[in-house]
């Protein structure tokens, strides 16, 4: 993903930049609201990370200008130390798509960005995602393997879309739970149960299991499907 980080704290911005780059994304950054707005208007980013307390132009004003004046619908994840309900509601009212309070885990930031991007891509262009002999249509929620239609419950659909959006990438428990449930679960049995259900549904005679378990690390769509 092409990610714009608008954050005036140098340490936070550097940590976000380095982490996202290490995960294969293409980050860019701005240290003030005016520069951030300029970059957001002159480049096509997949997602934007936006701090609220920015010099030059605060984050809410920037968000409002992007949405109401520039008519840009790039997904925006707000990062802030402000954690009151009124402040969160104000952010959403100005067009923010998600909200994460500092301090935060870098892995959670990436998981939320990935979820935002996946939903945005489906809403705007609704492409059929194809990986190997698997296909997923975000519009109709139709899943096929080797041209055979497969019925999946809603959470398994979200799991499969998350895997297919990042074929070959190892996704840990936190990333998968954030993408499917929107939060980290206290009991990991639910995730394991849904992965077992997904695997069983995708089983076809003579076809390998497309989901690989990496013990102590997470899961991924096998490399065979990413080639």
């Amino acid at each position: 993903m092409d990610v714009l980080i608008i954050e005036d704290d140098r340490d936070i911005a550097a940590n976000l930049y380095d982490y996202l780059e290490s995960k294969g994304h293409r980050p860019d950054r701005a240290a003030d609201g005016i520069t951030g707005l300029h970059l957001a208007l002159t480049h096509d980013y997949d997602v934007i990370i936006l701090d609220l307390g920015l010099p030059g132009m605060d984050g809410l004003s920037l968000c409002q200008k992007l949405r109401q004046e520039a008519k840009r619908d790039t997904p925006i994840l707000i990062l802030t130390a402000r954690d009151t309900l009124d402040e969160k509601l104000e952010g959403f009212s100005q067009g923010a798509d998600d909200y994460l309070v500092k301090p935060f885990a870098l892995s959670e930031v990436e998981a939320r960005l990935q979820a935002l991007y996946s939903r945005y891509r489906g809403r705007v262009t609704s492409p059929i995602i194809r990986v190997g002999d698997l296909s997923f249509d975000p519009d109709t929620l139709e899943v096929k393997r080797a041209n055979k239609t497969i019925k999946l419950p809603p959470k398994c659909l979200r799991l499969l879309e998350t895997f297919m959006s990042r074929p070959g990438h190892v996704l840990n428990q936190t990333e998968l739970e954030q993408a499917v449930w929107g939060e980290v679960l206290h009991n990991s049995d639910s995730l394991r149960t849904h992965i077992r259900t997904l695997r069983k549904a995708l089983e076809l005679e003579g076809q390998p299991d497309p989901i690989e378990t990496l013990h102590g690390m997470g899961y991924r769509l096998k490399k065979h499907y990413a080639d």
Side-chain angles (χ1 to χ4, degrees):
M1 294 183 294
D2 291 306
V3 184
L4 174 59
I5 303 165
I6 309 176
E7 168 65 66
D8 64 323
D9 186 302
R10 292 185 179 182
D11 291 337
I12 293 176
N15 287 337
L16 286 167
Y17 189 102
D18 292 344
Y19 183 82
L20 292 173
E21 189 174 46
S22 74
K23 292 295 184 178
H25 305 297
R26 297 169 296 277
D28 200 355
R29 57 185 172 184
D32 63 84
I34 294 174
T35 302
L37 179 62
H38 173 74
L39 289 174
L41 293 176
T42 56
H43 296 73
D44 291 323
Y45 295 104
D46 295 314
V47 286
I48 295 172
I49 298 174
L50 178 63
D51 181 37
L52 289 186
L54 294 168
M57 177 187 300
D58 67 84
L60 287 179
S61 297
L62 192 157
C63 190
Q64 182 183 42
K65 287 181 179 296
L66 277 179
R67 294 295 193 240
Q68 299 182 18
E69 296 180 21
K71 305 300 182 184
R72 293 295 186 94
D73 59 356
T74 308
I76 295 174
L77 170 63
I78 285 181
L79 299 181
T80 183
R82 308 174 188 176
D83 61 355
T84 68
L85 178 59
D86 287 344
E87 288 166 334
K88 291 181 181 181
L89 293 176
E90 178 66 14
F92 288 128
S93 72
Q94 298 303 330
D97 297 280
D98 201 358
Y99 205 110
L100 195 56
V101 177
K102 301 174 182 177
F104 49 79
L106 292 171
S107 59
E108 182 177 358
V109 173
E110 193 211 8
R112 286 176 182 259
L113 291 176
Q114 187 64 53
L116 286 175
Y117 174 58
S118 297
R119 291 196 294 269
Y120 171 77
R121 185 175 59 178
R123 182 174 67 246
V124 176
T125 59
S126 301
I128 294 178
I129 306 172
R130 302 183 189 278
V131 183
D133 61 358
L134 288 169
S135 68
F136 174 75
D137 187 330
D139 269 349
T140 64
L141 302 181
E142 182 180 59
V143 175
K144 289 185 178 182
R145 184 174 187 193
N147 292 319
K148 179 181 178 180
T149 300
I150 296 170
K151 299 295 184 182
L152 293 173
K155 293 214 169 24
C156 286
L157 284 171
R158 293 181 189 173
L159 261 180
L160 181 61
E161 183 177 13
T162 302
F163 280 125
M164 292 182 71
S165 296
R166 301 185 63 189
H169 287 260
V170 178
L171 300 172
N172 62 36
Q173 178 180 325
T174 298
E175 292 171 317
L176 291 171
E177 289 175 347
Q178 286 285 352
V180 176
W181 285 274
E183 61 181 337
V184 178
L185 304 179
H186 297 294
N187 188 339
S188 61
D189 287 343
S190 185
L191 176 62
R192 288 195 291 267
T193 297
H194 282 83
I195 288 179
R196 284 198 298 268
T197 301
L198 176 59
R199 278 177 156 151
K200 185 171 182 179
L202 294 178
E203 284 181 357
L204 290 180
E205 186 175 353
Q207 299 291 331
D209 181 354
I211 299 173
E212 182 179 9
T213 300
L214 290 89
H215 294 288
M217 298 175 65
Y219 306 87
R220 69 180 171 191
L221 210 57
K222 288 181 180 178
K223 289 184 178 180
H224 165 75
Y225 289 88
D227 295 337

